[in-house]
Structures are given as structure tokens and as C-alpha cells.
Amino acid sequence: LREIAFGDDGDFSESTLRERINNELVANLGNFIYRTMSFLWKEFNGEVPEPVELDDVDKQFKAELEQLPSLVAEEMDSFRIDRAVKLIRDFSGKANQYFQLKEPWSTKDKNCLYLCANAVASLAILMEPFMPNASESLWKQLNLGGSVHEQQWENAGTLILKSGHVIGEPKPLFKKV
């Protein structure tokens, strides 16, 4: 979906597909999701921490998270599916950078983990039209009720996970090919 613009001709190759899976799904999106989930699991017994006062970096990340669903929806409404998927991929890259910048492994930064956990929940909703099975698996790992398929699009930009929520045991969503 990300490789070829909707309605246009394009070239398909297994090597490009393999590159997208390994570099975008596994190393980018999957890496952010798994590192956030596994860190919460190991360091906080799976519990989403209570945030404290957000600094400017936290506020910027939160603002990007809140804006993402409308940006993706705008692209989807215009049948620019490749751009919608790219926005999700780009956000997961920014989320990885945010996680790296905040260094929760040494700082135990509760704001970072709270916001990243919520970014993971939002990504589950945003990925649903493109990867319904992976989204549902992630929703279950997050230990959220119901199905990701029942969620409202607008919920993706909100802080769904409240402090004290306990996630399930994390498992990698994607495997390298």
C-alpha cells in the first residue's frame, strides 16, 4: 500500500516487499511497539505509569500524536493510501526518536512511557484498516476490552490508556523475512 499510489501503475518486486517488511514494519513500527511494551512489562510490571508535568519535548510528542488521526484520515478520504501509511510510518519513527531521546532505561521517565504506551494504543487503531490482524493482536496485548475493529477513529488521538492500566505480555508483531 505504501509503495504504489492508489489508482496509479507501479512496480512490484519481492525485494522491495522484503525491504518494507524488514525496515518499516519490523525495524521501525514493530521496534517502537515492542520496546515500549517490553519496557513497561519489565520495569513497571506492565503498568502504565502516572505522568507528571510534561516538558516541552513531551508536549510536542503529545501534540503530534493528537494530530495524527486527522492527518491520516485526510489522506484516506482523498484515496492517498500510500501517504496515509507513510504518515503512520513516519510517526512511529518519531516515536522511536522520542523514546531514544528520553532514555527511559536510565531515567525511568514516566511521561515518556505514559505517552509511548498511548502512542502504541493509537497505532493499533490507525493500523487497523491496513493490517487488521496485527492491530487486533496488538489491541489484545494492550489488554484493552472489545476489539480494535470496534474503536472510533477519533480515539486514536486520545490518551486511551490511563495510569494504572496493566498491559498483557508483549510479543513481537512482525518478523523479518
Side-chain angles (χ1 to χ4, degrees):
L1 290 171
R2 201 178 90 58
E3 187 64 26
I4 302 167
F6 182 74
D8 288 346
D9 289 337
D11 291 326
F12 172 81
S13 73
E14 286 187 32
S15 65
T16 301
L17 177 62
R18 194 171 21 261
E19 181 182 317
R20 294 274 186 233
I21 291 170
N22 292 339
N23 295 335
E24 294 185 13
L25 285 182
V26 176
N28 183 343
L29 182 64
N31 180 56
F32 169 68
I33 290 168
Y34 188 71
R35 79 193 297 203
T36 298
M37 300 276 290
S38 61
F39 194 85
L40 280 174
W41 186 257
K42 291 175 188 168
E43 301 296 326
F44 289 85
N45 297 316
E47 189 173 318
V48 177
E50 177 78 38
V52 293
E53 187 174 340
L54 301 181
D55 66 20
D56 289 342
V57 175
D58 298 326
K59 289 176 185 174
Q60 176 64 35
F61 182 73
K62 182 178 179 270
E64 289 180 25
L65 172 62
E66 292 170 340
Q67 185 181 23
L68 184 62
S70 63
L71 295 174
V72 173
E74 183 179 313
E75 297 298 346
M76 291 174 65
D77 287 346
S78 299
F79 298 101
R80 294 185 297 254
I81 308 303
D82 56 320
R83 291 185 191 178
V85 174
K86 184 180 182 307
L87 284 169
I88 295 168
R89 192 239 18 224
D90 290 350
F91 176 78
S92 66
K94 289 176 185 176
N96 266 317
Q97 291 171 351
Y98 170 72
F99 192 95
Q100 195 70 25
L101 177 69
K102 296 298 260 180
E103 299 180 345
W105 55 90
S106 64
T107 64
K108 302 294 189 262
D109 188 315
K110 292 180 179 181
N111 290 346
C112 171
L113 294 167
Y114 175 77
L115 291 172
C116 284
N118 276 286
V120 169
S122 294
L123 286 168
I125 296 171
L126 295 173
M127 292 175 358
E128 192 272 339
F130 313 107
M131 298 177 284
N133 293 337
S135 294
E136 185 67 15
S137 175
L138 179 55
W139 196 254
K140 299 295 184 213
Q141 285 184 47
L142 287 165
N143 200 25
L144 291 165
S147 170
V148 73
H149 310 300
E150 301 165 346
Q151 303 310 305
Q152 297 297 313
W153 188 259
E154 300 79 34
N155 290 344
T158 63
L159 302 176
I160 299 168
L161 298 177
K162 303 302 178 202
S163 60
H165 176 85
V166 179
I167 64 168
E169 185 174 0
K171 297 176 183 106
L173 285 179
F174 311 108
K175 295 180 182 176
K176 281 193 170 200
V177 292

